[in-house]
Amino acid sequence: MVKVGATYLGDSRCQFVVWAPLLDQVAVKISSSPNQSHILQQDSDGYWQVMVENVQPGDHYLYLLNNEKERPDPASYLQPNGVHSASQIIDHQSFPWTDHRWLGVALDDMIIYELHVGTFTSEGTFAAIIPRLARLKELGITAIELMPVAQFPGNRNWGYDGVYPYAVQNSYGGPDGLKALVNACHDQEIAVILDVVYNHVGPEGNYLDDFAPYFTSKFRPEWGNAFNFDDSYCDGVRNYFLENALYWYESYHIDALRLDAIQGIYDLGIKHFLEDLVDVTYEFSQQQGRKIYLTAESDLNDVRTIRTRDAGGIGIDAQWCDDFHHSLHALVTGEQQAYYQDFGKPADLEKAFKEGFVYSGQYAPHRKRRHGSSSTEEPANKFIVFSQNHDQIGNRILGDRLTQILSFEALKLVAGTVLLSPYVPLLFMGEEYGDTAPFLYFISHSEPELIKLIQRSKAEEFRAKGFAEESYDPQDPETFHRSQLNWEMQQSGQHQILWQFYQRLIHLRRTNSTLNKLSKKGLSISSCESEQLLMIHRSSEDGQVFYIFNFSDCQVEFEASLPTNDWHKILDSSDERWSGLGAILPDTLAPFQPLKIQASSFALYQA
Amino acid sequence: MVKVGATYLGDSRCQFVVWAPLLDQVAVKISSSPNQSHILQQDSDGYWQVMVENVQPGDHYLYLLNNEKERPDPASYLQPNGVHSASQIIDHQSFPWTDHRWLGVALDDMIIYELHVGTFTSEGTFAAIIPRLARLKELGITAIELMPVAQFPGNRNWGYDGVYPYAVQNSYGGPDGLKALVNACHDQEIAVILDVVYNHVGPEGNYLDDFAPYFTSKFRPEWGNAFNFDDSYCDGVRNYFLENALYWYESYHIDALRLDAIQGIYDLGIKHFLEDLVDVTYEFSQQQGRKIYLTAESDLNDVRTIRTRDAGGIGIDAQWCDDFHHSLHALVTGEQQAYYQDFGKPADLEKAFKEGFVYSGQYAPHRKRRHGSSSTEEPANKFIVFSQNHDQIGNRILGDRLTQILSFEALKLVAGTVLLSPYVPLLFMGEEYGDTAPFLYFISHSEPELIKLIQRSKAEEFRAKGFAEESYDPQDPETFHRSQLNWEMQQSGQHQILWQFYQRLIHLRRTNSTLNKLSKKGLSISSCESEQLLMIHRSSEDGQVFYIFNFSDCQVEFEASLPTNDWHKILDSSDERWSGLGAILPDTLAPFQPLKIQASSFALYQA
């Protein structure tokens, strides 16, 4: 492995390393000596390097390629003036870390909070997040997951248009801003998961092709060009991304990665890039004595993604379980558009609850093919579940959250479904108090043609789905501002109650001796299609719990089939305390007792 | 699985089944009642079917799609008038098979003879092969491998431009011709391996797109479009090819398939198409009580291809070992162009001899990336080896065989290297007597633009490599005729001696109690880079052999390092009997004895 980028060595010396196997000459021009250029030497693997003296952190630099083109560094650590300008030299040794005793958070203990730096606060910076950590901690959050922070064009973007995988977004606060946030998180025992995009780069500011064969034309992916992970010169591309992962662990103390859409990482070679990434991450973890986790978004429902390396799998620690989301969403909203047509029955959610993947090989009507493999053998901590996330909100035509779609009762119900599941729960920022801000698709490109193209394509989508073409303009700063959270909401009314309800659920999940075990063992479940009731019984060495979810919007009579025991209710979402319709389930349960449960509510008993 | 095509049921009834999930109407028009069309009924999986009465084998038919287009059947069993015309109804029950007692040939016993039906004889038919089988049998051949016989445009083609995977080439003799050949082979205890192309179809006569989404644009393969093995509607495409394999086993009694270029079968889904094919083939074998083998050509050097299904592999029985060929070819010819630049050292051939794959993960200069995985753990019968094949000859600029490149001594040497290897040997037709006919690239398309395109591209290749642009014209019938074998050659001179030498080698391989074991165990090998000597010692429970290959073109002095024993020479390629330079190695070997071996020769001892 070869470390790429501009490594500041101290004493005004900097080592420049860049991969460009097909170029005839590479030189570096540095702002502190603008009339000079330093020629790099190429090794047999196509890496060029040079050590330059009289260089200071903060200096800007550009590579001069074949004496023709000036380009920022593909492994730039900071693009102080955006994607089209010079890179900046960063001293990664200088940050005053105070997390030396940090041991990380085990996957089983993670309550993940996904946040977008730009819209989480009105400032839109890493620094502005820090004062909010206490409140997240109070809620019970143990890990924040940052949407991508790699440098993207302009200062408004979800982050998936990043073009410098090593550069921390300048408008968010750059490298020092991110380090300060991670350090503050660790101080408060919160882990930091970083969303990284190894499947494509955005449409503006990508100069990788000027350096090396980073891309392949073998595949035609959904977004942009496919990275060359398996063809001629792939070793340099693989190194670039493997080193990128190590860079986040080492220079930023990142605790876990969330790998974006791994189905877009095309690799037909012997050892999939992700297997290399798992191995490299494992080695680093071993050296550090602290486990770094790899989590992934995947559209494949392929159990090999999460199966261990020893068992022949790729060995990703946990993957987002879209099937859980879709089952829950289709059930509570009744929506059947697009992929929701493959879901909607209580039995789907039951299978998601018990196994993880709902599609385990059967025909999926929306996909028009058989889909998935069985995940029954995989432990519960391999799945990350959610009722909302940036995509499931943001990809809706008007970016509306469940807050806009569901009753208050149903909002509590979905919270319970996620947080009482045996899986690793993830909340999307603002969900915990039912923020009403949409999460819209916002960009801030600088190329007029590209902006028009995106605007037209969005207008076309609005039209096709029967909405006004001018519903919103992705490039308009107002679109971004509308997506920012309304923190003041959580101080009052039902928002405040919802927040307290989430806090209570998280507290129960973390302290109840059965709920805090991420295990599918001892979980039995029964559903009733017509009545949309789900009854779940979980037992562990340390106790038993029983919960009933009513996904129908009317009261339901039922009889609980559960082992004779001393059952005490510990939570009822229809309680007046939670602004509910009023609890009608008894505080204790007797066998064969006829029971009634309020519409869109749930209750939790323990024995 | 759904059986597709026109199945003649007897009693003038025929069942038509065709997959066309997106069409509104499918009808079939049959030549015997030209004014009538029969409308098919669609099921929920997109298959259309109808049973029609008053139909006879030999009747022609076309499908009428959406009342607009008339098209041949994608699963046509015969295209009597070529790729653009009607399909013909075939009665697969009527052939008088006499191979009821046929048990097949075990992979370990296979001596494979690859042949191209069109150029093997001057008639170019299946029927003309039958009288030649006795001579192949006499040589020691136990399996013939037919280059693809699926219907291609015109009557001159290697076969890789086939567009009807189920139709047996009309000009070769159609279904009955192939059945008669297979039956005759089985009568003489010769197995039949069929080359099938599941990675693309040819550029002329492909109407698959009119029926269904057979292709995907997700991948950009080297040849044609990629078949849709993993996207929407892939179930129908997978069924089409799985049924195709079963069709060859069941209707033609084919003993094994040779899967063309499996790296071109793109499938990123959960279960690779080839895994399905292995499972389906295994099930069929179990039902028949006769093992059907799957062999494959692969450019991947991926050990998972040949690893068993139980061990997490794809489970292909054996794959072509190009690394063995390239090591041998580069060593004996000294050629270093194109992929030969990755080979040439005696150590490469040594590794190929011991392990199979030479590239097991190290950097390959020609590929400009690391390549391959280790095959040390895989048994010897997983590799098929050869010194020549249709590609290694035909893809040379002038299609010249080793006969044109090597001395007579070296021809015997390469024969020995292949036939004394622990792997499954394959000869290319004519190799056994050093036929001098080239194997050129010949086509017989009917579309003028396509013909011009191919002619221009070939002329460009000639020019680029420094040959006359008019070196040969692929469309010219003379190009095809020049590629036909000269059977009369084997009756005289060195050709006859070479034939006898091959016969002797095959006889030794099949009868010697060590050579007839396909095992890497007990094989030790030493090479000497400067002297280009390879000394191989193999021992089994039943004996020991020792052979010395001299790949240099001069006499070499050496000392044999071999276990003390009673070593008797049983073959010496430099013997005058084999038209050699004269044997100088002693008939018996003593330890530490200084020895000399003739240029480009080898000798075999047993103990």
Side-chain angles (χ1 to χ4, degrees), chain B residues 163-176:
Chain B
V163 279
Y164 291 86
Y166 289 72
V168 176
Q169 176 68 14
N170 59 343
S171 60
Y172 287 176
D176 277 351

Side-chain angles (χ1 to χ4, degrees), chain A residues 346-367:
Chain A
D348 294 332
L349 184 58
E350 181 184 338
K351 186 168 177 184
F353 228 97
K354 276 203 296 214
E355 300 186 15
F357 296 151
V358 174
Y359 279 86
S360 54
Q362 74 272 38
Y363 187 81
H366 177 67
R367 294 175 187 266

Side-chain angles (χ1 to χ4, degrees), chain A residues 217-220 230-233 235 266 268-270 300-302 304 363 367-370 373, chain B residues 217-220 230-233 235 266 268-270 300-302 304 363 367-370 373:
Chain A
S217 58
K218 266 195 343 194
F219 309 104
R220 301 185 212 193
D230 64 3
D231 219 335
S232 297
Y233 298 104
D235 296 337
Y266 293 94
L268 295 174
I270 303 286
L300 299 172
N301 272 24
D302 187 343
R304 290 172 299 188
Y363 187 81
R367 294 175 187 266
K368 303 192 191 319
R369 59 172 173 83
R370 284 172 290 162
S373 51
Chain B
S217 57
K218 266 194 344 193
F219 309 104
R220 301 185 213 193
D230 65 2
D231 218 335
S232 296
Y233 297 105
D235 296 337
Y266 292 95
L268 294 174
I270 304 287
L300 300 172
N301 272 25
D302 187 344
R304 290 173 299 188
Y363 188 81
R367 293 175 188 267
K368 302 192 191 317
R369 59 171 172 83
R370 284 171 291 162
S373 51

Side-chain angles (χ1 to χ4, degrees), chain A residues 18 106 158 216 228 392 400 443 461 507 590:
Chain A
V18 62
W158 285 14
T216 173
N228 169 21
Q392 300 305 337
D400 46 341
I443 51 166
E461 189 191 342
H507 178 77

Side-chain angles (χ1 to χ4, degrees), chain B residues 40 56 117 164 189 246 249 273 295 303 317 323 360 364 373 405 446 456 479 493 522 566-567:
Chain B
L40 286 76
Q56 299 306 325
V117 177
Y164 291 86
E189 298 193 317
L246 292 178
Y249 310 153
F273 165 74
T295 70
V303 72
D317 293 294
D323 281 11
S360 55
S373 51
I405 313 171
S446 68
R456 269 200 301 265
T479 297
D566 191 18
W567 291 101

